[in-house]
Amino acid sequence: MRSSGFDPVSVETLNRRLQIITIVVLVVFTLLLLRLWFLQFIHGPIYRTQSENNRIHLQKISPFRGMIFDRHGNLLVDNRPSYNFYIIPEDISDCEALLRSLNLLLGMDPAMIKDKLEKAPRNYPFKPILIKKDISRDELAIIETNQFVLPGTMIQVDPQRNYIYGKLASHLIGYLGEISDHQLKSGQYPDSVSGDLIGKSGVEGNWQRYLNGLRGGRQVEVDAAGRTLRVISNMPPVPGLNLALTIDKDLQMLAEKLIEDQKGAIVVMNPMNGEILAFASSPALDPNLFVRGIGQAEWDKMVSEKGFPLTNRAISGQYPPGSLFKIIVAAAGLEEGAISPDEEITCPGTYTLGNRSYGCWQRSGHGVVKLHRALVESCDVYFYKIGKRLGVDTIAYYARMFGLGKKTGIDLDNEQDGLVPTSEWKLKSIGIPWQPGETISMSIGQSFLLVTPIQMVRVISAIYNGGKIYQPKIIKWVGNRGEEVYEFTPTQMGRIEIKPENLDLIKDALLGVVNETGGTGTRARLKEIPVAGKTGTAQVVTLETVKVFEDEEEVPTKFRDHAWFIALAPVGEPKMAITILIENAGHGGSKAAPIARELIKEYLGK
Amino acid sequence: MFDRRLLQNFDWILLLLLVILAFMSILNLYSATYPIRDSGGSQIFIKQIYWFLFGFALLLVVTMFDYHLLDRIAYPLYISTLILLMMVLIIGKIYSGSQRWLSFGGIVFQPSEFTKITTIIVLAKYFSGHGEYDEYRLRDLWWPFLLVLVPCLLIAKQPDLGSSLALAIIAFSIILFVKIKWRSLFILMITTMSAAPFIWYTLQEYQQKRILSFLRPETDPLGAGYHIIQSKIAVGSGLLWGKGFLKGTQTRLHFLPEQHSDFAFSVLAEEWGFVGSFSLLMVYLLLILWGINIAKSSKDKLGTITAIGIVAIVFWQLVINVSMTIGLLPVVGIPLVLFSSGGSSIISTMLGMGLLMNISMRRFMFQ
């Protein structure tokens, strides 16, 4: 015997244990057989009937996606019934004949239908295969009246997303698209199946979970011909929650109309709490296109030919702020004591530093100016001098205080930071020390400075709301009226530490920009409503390049300056802060300021 | 090295039982894949034949060496399956939401299937080398416990809750078999039960849903509840003699989910009735009782415990799968061993059967 063999005691224990195991196995097998007996004998006939005469089908019912409103409850996005045309492969009697009839009656391409039938998974012969989405009324009538010669076809009404005003606020609302494999796997869309449309961007994307609702379905008994005999169990779909944006539909419409056919962005915000009242980025796309489905070729063409309409210029477009930045330089100069409001500075039309000269936009010069006139007439030389006194890092400190150089935190994807350069930043990222001349350019909002339109609407808001930097918000409420799951509350993200008397000087000047003779923004003036603002013109290429051209109109469009205007109205009781940016349009005063006037008239003139 | 007595002791009964099972599986699979024969079904069926042929060849190879070799290669085998499991999590193929497959040069396999075999081997090695039956206390069990926990967690992460649970149950059967002290067992069970609520929260939402839908099928009439109902209709409608080969309406109209793998038993029960399902269960019962007999006649602990482990693999997977198709357990993705389609499951089980044969052939031999 082997030494590792069992001693007699162990063998006995082992045998007893194996006996126990055998008994357990026998008991479990008996239970399984009893259950089988129960299913196949006692209940067998019932199951046999269920399987033979009747069939239990599963029908899925799509939920209604939540509707989207504007701040006043005007409906912007809803769902409309879409008549979709299906073929059930199992019910086709003669495929060729069916294809011929469809071609004859509806002009449908037999090859296209064949292709779809072949591509569909063959193992579910009862699963309807979608042949054509959203058929017209005429087609519907033809199919209904010819149902008897079209066996195996079916019309099902499915809810389809409907953007009532087409591309209105499309950059805020976003669009739907088919769920990707990656998203399916992520587990973030537990209720979605392959082929479902889900929100891909904007509010549709970020609030998908709330808007989507829950799929329902029912188990039905159908007879051999597919007719429903009885509903066995039913789980109604749960519609998605409704949602209201903070925007005002009419203002939004006007904003979009005003920059139609141009590239640019308009943002209107309530300066007192951060609610976005209008948000336009042009060009834009009609999100209805995505609902219907869009081919790759069509997509490429659209994106390249129409100037990247998916880019949300209001938050992703980064531009030099140009003269808008003078507000911040002025605030910094006053606060740091680098300038007093009464100091007189002479503008001869140029400013020389080292061996380089920097021109004022008004080549003849502004003569002797104080702070007020310098802002009103946007004198460059005045700010070159102030900027030089302050230095790059002090200017950068104030720029950041005003919320530049970082995201505003708006609930939309792809927001950009912009850029507030410092001497340390330049050394680190470019490897060259900061040059004094760059401070000069920076004082009038050029150099490396980059801002997004949404950041600038907060700058002018902060000056008039007591220094508060609010997070811009686009959702007024989510839920159903009376039982909201979310309701707008303002979120303050920072504040600007500027003495009230200094702010008052700047406010006076901004009022002057629009209302005083010689002001750069007089085209935004309105009789009944006090408007304040600041113009800006952001250089796209250096002045030298542009000087080649005799007349401004001869400059090729892509070299032309971007036009800026920020505005606030009414002064005294602020209700709207506005940023307007138009790419390659030229001067802010002539191209952007009139737009602000229209917007203010529309929103406050009612 | 090769002994004539081995041939004399060749276990023809075990082989016969396996051949019967293979035959039934292939026949049933032909029917289950018949409705989808043009879209991949025939391949599933033909592949199954090859898997079985390959499995029998492997079985013969495994009988060649002396199973005491396991004592030396237990850990290397175990560690390599652990590595494969980790690779699954990193480079594994994803299919319907979980990552369970590895692909090497066109061959796709499921390491979790092989882990069952290597885990019982490593447990058998541990228990045959440490202590005697009846003496294990909790503190003797921390190492085997770890040996089981690691692969269980790796498999649960894929996520493949069913396989993970099956592995735990199989391993636990071995521990029960070598017998730990009653007091230790009691503590173990209390701990497990008190851990259950925590485990619940680590489950994926779809896993929670499945358990809930089992407990209350009416809460999920569209998902798992629907599968259970359709499977019960298929089984029940078979009556005594069944609807006949290729005549199962539930099968032909594809009312059963995964009818060639997880729900293969339902196909059999529908087409062959109680007679068919009874016969299949009897074959399994004979296989299991025969395995217990092999464990009994083995001359050492390594052989006995390995044999019991292999029996446990067959027994538990059978019980879980069949119970699932007849509505006694929630729908978990456990295939029916040696019956459902799937290369990894067949190959790994046939490897186990080779070991069983190996142990059986050497029951009269002394070294």
Side-chain angles (χ1 to χ4, degrees), chain A residues 78 90 119 232 281 323 386 420 428 448 460 527 560 567:
Chain A
D78 66 352
E90 179 70 16
K119 270 190 194 149
I232 296 170
S281 172
S323 301
I386 308 297
V420 175
K428 245 194 228 160
F448 300 100
I460 189 143
K527 256 188 208 141
R560 282 187 211 161

Side-chain angles (χ1 to χ4, degrees), chain B residues 86-303:
Chain B
M86 286 181 221
M87 284 172 66
V88 168
L89 292 179
I90 301 163
I91 55 165
K93 291 224 164 207
I94 296 172
Y95 173 72
S96 55
S98 45
Q99 213 164 4
R100 300 179 183 176
W101 287 265
L102 268 188
S103 170
F104 279 124
I107 297 170
V108 180
F109 69 101
Q110 212 174 340
S112 56
E113 291 291 342
F114 296 93
T115 311
K116 289 169 193 155
I117 301 283
T118 56
T119 307
I120 63 147
I121 291 175
V122 87
L123 286 177
K125 176 192 158 66
Y126 178 82
F127 286 120
S128 63
H130 294 75
E132 280 300 319
Y133 293 112
D134 265 335
E135 285 173 8
Y136 297 100
R137 285 156 299 174
L138 263 192
R139 79 175 85 113
D140 302 318
L141 287 175
W142 71 269
W143 179 244
F145 182 70
L146 201 67
L147 288 176
V148 178
L149 187 70
V150 172
C152 275
L153 288 180
L154 285 172
I155 296 170
K157 189 93 190 22
Q158 292 176 354
D160 186 351
L161 192 69
S163 295
S164 176
L165 258 155
L167 179 58
I169 294 172
I170 291 163
F172 188 64
S173 310
I174 294 179
I175 292 172
L176 268 190
F177 174 68
V178 300
K179 191 145 178 189
I180 56 177
K181 284 188 180 296
W182 277 113
R183 204 167 55 101
S184 304
L185 180 67
F186 187 68
I187 295 171
L188 203 67
M189 285 176 77
I190 294 289
T191 329
T192 317
M193 282 201 278
S194 49
F198 297 101
I199 293 171
W200 174 257
Y201 288 107
T202 64
L203 295 181
Q204 304 271 336
E205 204 174 313
Y206 83 91
Q207 294 167 331
Q208 294 183 350
K209 247 188 194 167
R210 275 193 183 173
I211 295 172
L212 284 179
S213 79
F214 164 70
L215 296 174
R216 296 175 57 203
E218 68 276 9
T219 57
D220 185 17
L222 311 180
Y226 179 69
H227 295 160
I228 290 177
I229 286 172
Q230 291 296 355
S231 179
K232 275 159 77 175
I233 292 176
V235 173
S237 64
L239 302 182
L240 181 60
W241 294 103
K243 296 176 186 166
F245 186 56
L246 297 184
K247 298 211 176 91
T249 50
Q250 292 288 101
T251 308
R252 197 182 80 73
L253 299 173
H254 216 286
F255 280 112
L256 294 171
E258 306 281 337
Q259 60 190 27
H260 51 83
S261 62
D262 291 0
F263 286 88
F265 181 79
S266 319
V267 176
L268 177 97
E270 182 183 22
E271 299 193 339
W272 300 94
F274 185 72
V275 172
S277 39
F278 179 82
S279 310
L280 184 73
L281 287 184
M282 280 307 118
V283 179
Y284 278 108
L285 182 61
L286 288 175
L287 183 70
I288 287 162
L289 294 178
W290 190 246
I292 294 174
N293 189 45
I294 291 171
K296 188 176 171 184
S297 54
S298 170
K299 287 287 171 274
D300 56 15
K301 280 178 84 179
L302 181 66

Side-chain angles (χ1 to χ4, degrees), chain A residues 1-7 9-11 13-61 90 120-126 181 184-187 190-191 214-220 222 232-235, chain B residues 35-36 38-39 67-68 94 97 132-134 176-179 205 209 218-223 225-226 229-230 232-240 242-243 249-250 252-258 265 269-270 272-275 277-278 280-282 284-285 288-289 292 295-301 304 308 311 315 318-319 322-323 325-328 365-367:
Chain A
M1 272 277 182
R2 292 178 51 198
S3 57
S4 64
F6 302 115
D7 57 59
V9 181
S10 242
V11 170
T13 333
L14 177 68
N15 285 345
R16 205 176 52 233
R17 197 147 309 148
L18 287 169
Q19 267 171 18
I20 297 172
I21 290 185
T22 310
I23 292 169
V24 170
V25 167
L26 287 173
V27 167
V28 172
F29 267 80
T30 310
L31 284 176
L32 289 180
L33 287 172
L34 277 177
R35 173 69 176 178
L36 277 169
W37 178 266
F38 175 78
L39 283 179
Q40 299 189 299
F41 276 85
I42 299 177
H43 279 179
I46 303 168
Y47 288 124
R48 175 61 71 98
T49 324
Q50 280 191 0
S51 79
E52 271 182 358
N53 303 334
N54 306 290
R55 293 152 182 175
I56 297 177
H57 276 203
L58 197 60
Q59 296 174 345
K60 292 191 169 171
I61 312 167
E90 179 70 16
R122 289 281 283 280
N123 31 354
Y124 296 96
F126 274 117
D181 290 344
L184 270 177
K185 273 187 315 213
S186 70
D191 200 47
L214 289 174
R215 183 191 305 282
R218 53 180 169 245
Q219 283 177 24
V220 292
V222 294
I232 296 170
S233 69
N234 187 21
M235 197 164 74
Chain B
I36 53 165
D38 297 330
S39 54
Y67 69 86
H68 292 97
I94 296 172
E132 280 300 319
Y133 293 112
D134 265 335
L176 268 190
F177 174 68
V178 300
K179 191 145 178 189
E205 204 174 313
K209 247 188 194 167
E218 68 276 9
T219 57
D220 185 17
L222 311 180
Y226 179 69
I229 286 172
Q230 291 296 355
K232 275 159 77 175
I233 292 176
V235 173
S237 64
L239 302 182
L240 181 60
K243 296 176 186 166
T249 50
Q250 292 288 101
R252 197 182 80 73
L253 299 173
H254 216 286
F255 280 112
L256 294 171
E258 306 281 337
F265 181 79
E270 182 183 22
W272 300 94
F274 185 72
V275 172
S277 39
F278 179 82
L280 184 73
L281 287 184
M282 280 307 118
Y284 278 108
L285 182 61
I288 287 162
L289 294 178
I292 294 174
K296 188 176 171 184
S297 54
S298 170
K299 287 287 171 274
D300 56 15
K301 280 178 84 179
T304 304
I308 285 299
V311 168
F315 176 71
L318 167 96
V319 169
V322 172
S323 304
T325 59
I326 57 182
L328 287 179
M365 308 204 42
F366 312 108
Q367 281 179 315

Side-chain angles (χ1 to χ4, degrees), chain A residues 99 104 158-159 225 246 260 324 351 373 425 431 450 543 568 588 593:
Chain A
L99 293 181
L104 214 67
D158 299 317
T246 53
E260 215 172 21
L324 302 187
Y351 174 76
R373 294 303 313 161
W425 165 83
L450 288 174
L543 284 174
L568 183 126

Side-chain angles (χ1 to χ4, degrees), chain B residues 323-349:
Chain B
S323 304
M324 167 180 112
T325 59
I326 57 182
L328 287 179
L329 275 182
V331 177
V332 289
I334 297 282
L336 184 48
V337 271
L338 295 174
F339 195 72
S340 296
S341 72
S344 303
S345 169
I346 290 172
I347 297 300
S348 67
T349 314

Side-chain angles (χ1 to χ4, degrees), chain A residues 431-482:
Chain A
I432 307 167
W434 186 265
Q435 305 296 311
E438 285 163 353
T439 310
I440 304 305
S441 312
M442 186 169 161
S443 317
I444 59 155
Q446 295 292 147
S447 175
F448 300 100
L449 262 178
L450 288 174
V451 299
T452 61
I454 189 113
Q455 287 172 337
M456 295 317 293
V457 85
R458 291 206 303 185
V459 170
I460 189 143
S461 299
I463 289 169
Y464 285 86
N465 70 13
K468 299 190 184 81
I469 302 285
Y470 283 110
Q471 180 180 11
K473 293 198 178 179
I474 56 177
I475 310 290
K476 187 95 178 145
W477 49 260
V478 178
N480 296 315
R481 263 307 190 200

